Amino acid sequence: MMNAHQRPAVGLRRLLAMTVAACGARSADGDASASSDSGSWPRTIETDDGELVLDSQPRTIVSTSTTLTGSLLAVGAPVVASAATSPNVEGLSDENGFFVQWSDAARQQGVEKLYENSSPDVEKAGAYAPDLIVVAKNGGDSVADEVGKLREIAPVLVIDYTGRSWQDVTGTIAQATGREQQAEQIIADYDSRLSETKDAIAVPEGTTSAFIVFGDGTGAAALTKESAQGQVLSSLEFALADIPDDVKGDTSMGADRQDIVNLSPENVRKGLTGDNWIVVSADQASRDAIANDPVFSTAVPVKEGRVTYTPPSTFRLDYYSALTLLDTLKDDYKKA
């Protein structure tokens, strides 16, 4: 097992930029052994929970974060088990509860289901004898309060995917797993698709609000400019609408989350001020709410037909779902 040491984190953004800039070109669909001992070891990674020192390149990784597993698989990291969401959610998860955008890659690699996020049991990670465990700092798949227990099993990489682009997240994962070359390749591939999308679409006039509809009728989550989806939209030159301060208060989901603001039904219209709406991760229930719930249906963007829906798989962005998001926007906003 590798030794790990934690120290206060500094300069995370700078380190990520240096990591990605140092990468060479590799294929995104290479197998898990394609990059052998990339770079020098031991190495220090600045995480969202202090510095992590790894003595050697990880060979057996357990992911406790369904969100982060996609980025691990995209760079060919040797994931053996992953936490999962509820299984068989249409457009979102497969029979294991793995996100559909990376479930094929997980199946090809033989990734096993660790547990479902609704009932986490972090001690199960020990059965795989991992030399690295990946944990989300925030979000519905976070077990950050169990990090101490997990460190008794293996070194722990803690990542806060809120308020960061999927590329930044991938950069941290690549450095920790020695997969910098693969990260450079998938980011370059995405950049090429982004350029194609920009050339193919006509961005709507006015401002745009992006949000997720809560399926239980309790409102919506407005996506901030710092959210992964918001950053994609900004890179395509959508003018994202500001979320007024008076609807924020203490309603953000998670005290230190930067990507979403929870809007109660009475604040939906106050918070979603855009001339255009993009409903992210929209299942049929979301579409029905937009069409029939007066909280949404009486809004000007709905009445004037200026609403776009993205697939459920765009709920969390990684390399795979970021491409899905681009494809959806390319189809829905294509030039006449």
Side-chain angles (χ1 to χ4, degrees):
M1 182 180 298
M2 294 178 290
N3 295 322
H5 313 281
Q6 300 293 135
R7 295 190 288 269
V10 293
L12 178 60
R13 292 282 181 176
R14 177 176 58 83
L15 181 60
L16 287 170
M18 292 172 62
T19 297
V20 174
C23 298
R26 290 286 301 185
S27 170
D29 58 3
D31 64 34
S33 63
S35 173
S36 59
D37 296 310
S38 175
S40 60
W41 302 84
R43 61 175 54 178
T44 301
I45 298 92
E46 296 191 50
T47 80
D48 291 304
D49 191 42
E51 287 187 346
L52 174 65
V53 179
L54 298 177
D55 289 343
S56 59
Q57 185 177 22
R59 300 295 182 182
T60 305
I61 299 174
V62 168
S63 173
T64 66
S65 167
T66 317
T67 297
L68 296 174
T69 300
S71 294
L72 286 160
L73 289 169
V75 299
V79 186
V80 297
S82 171
T85 190
S86 300
N88 297 315
V89 177
E90 185 175 2
L92 180 68
S93 63
D94 67 5
E95 67 277 7
N96 290 313
F98 292 163
F99 285 154
V100 295
Q101 68 263 28
W102 51 261
S103 62
D104 285 345
R107 188 176 297 109
Q108 292 170 10
Q109 192 162 307
V111 178
E112 296 184 8
K113 181 176 180 176
L114 183 63
Y115 55 68
E116 288 188 22
N117 296 328
S118 59
S119 55
D121 182 359
V122 298
E123 292 182 355
K124 289 184 176 180
Y128 296 91
D131 46 23
L132 183 66
I133 299 172
V134 178
V135 173
K137 184 176 181 179
N138 287 303
D141 56 354
S142 175
V143 290
D145 56 347
E146 302 275 15
V147 165
K149 187 181 296 185
L150 288 168
R151 285 194 180 121
E152 295 176 2
I153 300 172
V156 178
L157 174 65
V158 179
I159 297 178
D160 184 357
Y161 58 73
T162 70
R164 292 171 60 184
S165 69
W166 69 266
Q167 296 98 319
D168 279 350
V169 170
T170 301
T172 300
I173 285 173
Q175 189 194 23
T177 60
R179 314 293 293 186
E180 293 96 330
Q181 292 180 335
Q182 288 85 342
E184 176 67 11
Q185 177 59 38
I186 65 173
I187 290 171
D189 179 60
Y190 170 83
D191 286 344
S192 177
R193 296 277 288 274
L194 177 70
S195 180
E196 292 174 4
T197 302
K198 286 182 71 172
D199 290 341
I201 66 173
V203 175
E205 295 182 0
T207 58
T208 297
S209 290
F211 61 98
I212 296 171
V213 175
F214 294 148
D216 59 1
T218 57
L223 296 172
T224 70
K225 296 175 182 179
E226 289 74 30
S227 68
Q229 295 90 344
Q231 291 186 54
V232 171
L233 291 169
S234 292
S235 68
L236 291 170
E237 299 183 359
F238 283 78
L240 295 182
D242 292 327
I243 303 171
D245 289 337
D246 61 358
V247 303
K248 294 179 181 178
D250 295 325
T251 61
S252 57
M253 300 176 74
D256 53 356
R257 287 193 69 158
Q258 304 175 57
D259 56 342
I260 56 177
V261 173
N262 184 14
L263 301 174
S264 60
E266 58 269 23
N267 280 335
V268 163
R269 300 278 285 280
K270 296 178 183 177
L272 304 177
T273 61
D275 302 301
N276 310 281
W277 280 4
I278 295 179
V279 185
V280 173
S281 188
D283 57 11
Q284 189 57 51
S286 299
R287 292 171 180 265
D288 290 344
I290 296 294
N292 303 314
D293 186 340
V295 168
F296 302 100
S297 64
T298 57
V300 172
V302 179
K303 292 193 290 185
E304 295 186 357
R306 288 187 272 109
V307 181
T308 289
Y309 302 89
T310 74
S313 59
T314 57
F315 176 62
R316 294 283 182 240
L317 289 195
D318 50 40
Y319 166 70
Y320 305 105
S321 54
L323 294 182
T324 298
L325 179 59
L326 288 182
D327 288 344
T328 301
L329 296 172
K330 186 177 180 180
D331 287 342
D332 289 354
Y333 292 103
K334 61 184 176 183
K335 293 177 180 177

